Amino acid sequence: MLDVRHLQVLRSIAQEGSLAAAGRALHYSQPTITHHLAALEAHFGARLVRRGPRGATLTELGEALLPHAEAVLERLRRAELEVRGLAERGARTLHIGTFPTAGALLLAPAVKRLHRQGVHISLTEGELPLLLRGLRARELDAALVFSQPGDRLDLDEDFEVHPLLTDPLLLAIPEDHPCAALDRVPLGELRDAAWVGAADPHDPCDRVLAWACAQEGYEPLHAMRTDDYAVVQGLVAAGTGVALVPRLALGHPRPDLAVRPLVSPDLAREISVALLRSTSAAAAQELIAALQEQAALITERWAET
C-alpha cells in the first residue's frame, strides 16, 4: 500500500531539486526523506530518483509517477478542506469550471439554487481546454463542457457526462448583406466572405467553422479576431465581416444584424456537465438537477422566439 508521505517526498524532490532541500521543505530530516524514498522505490521495484553531486532529479519512471502523485495529493487536500468545512460550517464545497458563455445564463442560476441548499461553490472560468485539464488533474469536481461536429469530447471512464443543452451555432451578418434575405444560409454562399473569429485560431468555434467550410471545399478567411462576442456583433454590424456565434452568446442581437441558421451542415454544440465519479453523490445530484432545470428554461425560451 502506498503511503501519502512517500508521494509528498517524491513531489518535494521534484520541486526542490535535492533530498536535503526536500527535507527542509517538508520539515523532515534527511534520513527520513531517504527512508520514504527507499520505501517508494521498493514498492515499484525501480529507481525513481537519480542522485548526483549537484542534486537529485526524477528518472523517467519518477516523471511518469509524478502527475499521479500530484493529483492524489491535491484530491486529498481538497477532501480535507471539504470535510473540515462541512464539520465546522455545515457547508459542502463543489469546485466547478465553466466557459464564459455558459457561466452567466446556465450556471449562475444553478449556483443560486445550490447556495440555498447549503452547497458552497468554488468557481473556475476558462475556455474548454483549460476546463478539461482541470478535470483530468482532479482540480475540478465538475465542469460545463461541450462537444461539436468534428471536435469530440475526450474524457475517460473516471467521469460521467450529463447532456444539458443543444446550443445552435448561428450566422451573424450585416442587415444589408445579400444573404440576409434568406431564412437559412448555405455555407457555400460565403466562400468569399471575411470572417470575424476568435483571438485564438484554435478556438473551438473557429475549429468547427474550419471543419464545416472544408465540407464545402474552401478555407475561411479571417479578417478580425476577438474573444468578446459584443465586439464580434459590433464588427459584423459595421461590415467588417461575418461570424459564427453560439446562440447562448448572442443575448439580444443588435437591430443592425441579421442572424440566420445555416442550411448545411446544421451546426450546434452539445453542452453537458462532466463530473468526477468520486464527487459527493448528494452534491452532484443537486448540481445536475439545477443545471438541467435551467437548461430546460433556456430551451423553452428559445422556442418562443
Side-chain angles (χ1 to χ4, degrees):
M1 179 71 69
L2 282 173
D3 188 317
V4 172
R5 292 171 295 179
H6 300 164
L7 301 180
Q8 290 174 325
V9 165
L10 183 76
R11 180 179 65 179
S12 190
I13 292 171
Q15 291 173 342
E16 304 297 333
S18 74
L19 272 65
R24 289 192 294 270
L26 294 173
H27 305 289
Y28 288 168
S29 67
Q30 186 154 342
T32 300
I33 289 285
T34 302
H35 166 76
H36 287 307
L37 176 59
L40 185 62
E41 291 183 329
H43 178 86
F44 286 101
R47 180 68 62 85
L48 301 174
V49 173
R50 186 182 301 106
R51 282 162 277 192
R54 296 186 178 181
T57 59
L58 300 192
T59 65
E60 183 178 354
L61 293 177
E63 292 286 357
L65 177 61
L66 180 61
H68 299 288
E70 291 174 331
V72 167
L73 294 170
E74 173 60 18
R75 189 69 184 174
L76 287 172
R77 183 189 70 82
R78 287 171 45 213
E80 182 176 5
L81 289 175
E82 182 169 344
V83 173
R84 286 186 184 278
L86 188 57
E88 294 169 5
R89 303 185 302 276
R92 289 164 292 171
T93 299
L94 277 180
H95 302 268
I96 302 177
T98 182
F99 55 96
T101 52
L105 293 180
L106 193 54
L107 182 61
V111 167
K112 180 179 179 180
R113 171 173 161 172
L114 288 165
H115 277 168
R116 288 200 304 263
Q117 295 173 357
V119 180
H120 176 69
I121 302 298
S122 168
L123 185 63
T124 296
E125 184 185 69
E127 298 300 338
L128 183 62
L130 175 69
L131 302 179
L132 293 176
R133 286 196 298 272
L135 286 169
R136 293 182 184 119
R138 309 311 192 252
E139 295 166 358
L140 297 173
D141 298 307
L144 288 168
V145 296
F146 61 87
S147 59
Q148 57 191 15
D151 210 356
R152 186 173 63 90
L153 187 62
D154 185 21
L155 287 170
D156 62 32
E157 65 276 3
D158 289 341
F159 300 90
E160 53 185 61
V161 179
H162 298 266
L164 297 173
L165 181 70
T166 297
D167 186 16
L169 299 176
L170 303 174
L171 179 69
I173 52 180
E175 60 177 348
D176 59 353
H177 192 282
C179 290
L182 303 174
D183 291 332
R184 299 175 70 88
V185 179
L187 193 56
E189 293 293 317
L190 301 168
R191 183 179 300 272
D192 298 322
W195 290 83
V196 179
D200 180 359
H202 301 292
D203 179 85
C205 209
D206 274 15
R207 289 203 303 271
V208 76
L209 175 64
W211 175 87
C213 290
Q215 313 306 304
E216 299 292 325
Y218 71 93
E219 183 177 338
L221 172 66
H222 286 87
M224 301 284 284
R225 292 189 174 278
T226 175
D227 284 332
D228 188 322
Y229 281 114
V231 175
V232 169
Q233 291 191 42
L235 290 171
V236 171
T240 302
V242 302
L244 195 64
V245 181
R247 177 68 182 86
L248 203 60
L250 270 175
H252 298 288
R254 296 168 54 120
D256 49 359
L257 280 184
V259 178
R260 302 287 184 268
L262 295 169
V263 172
S264 178
D266 189 13
L267 298 180
R269 57 184 186 177
E270 299 298 327
I271 298 176
S272 305
V273 58
L275 297 99
L276 270 170
R277 294 189 185 277
S278 57
T279 302
S280 165
Q285 291 307 312
E286 287 165 1
L287 174 65
I288 294 165
L291 288 171
Q292 288 176 337
E293 179 181 307
Q294 186 59 25
L297 290 174
I298 292 172
T299 301
E300 182 180 332
R301 189 159 62 244
W302 285 352
E304 294 171 352
T305 58

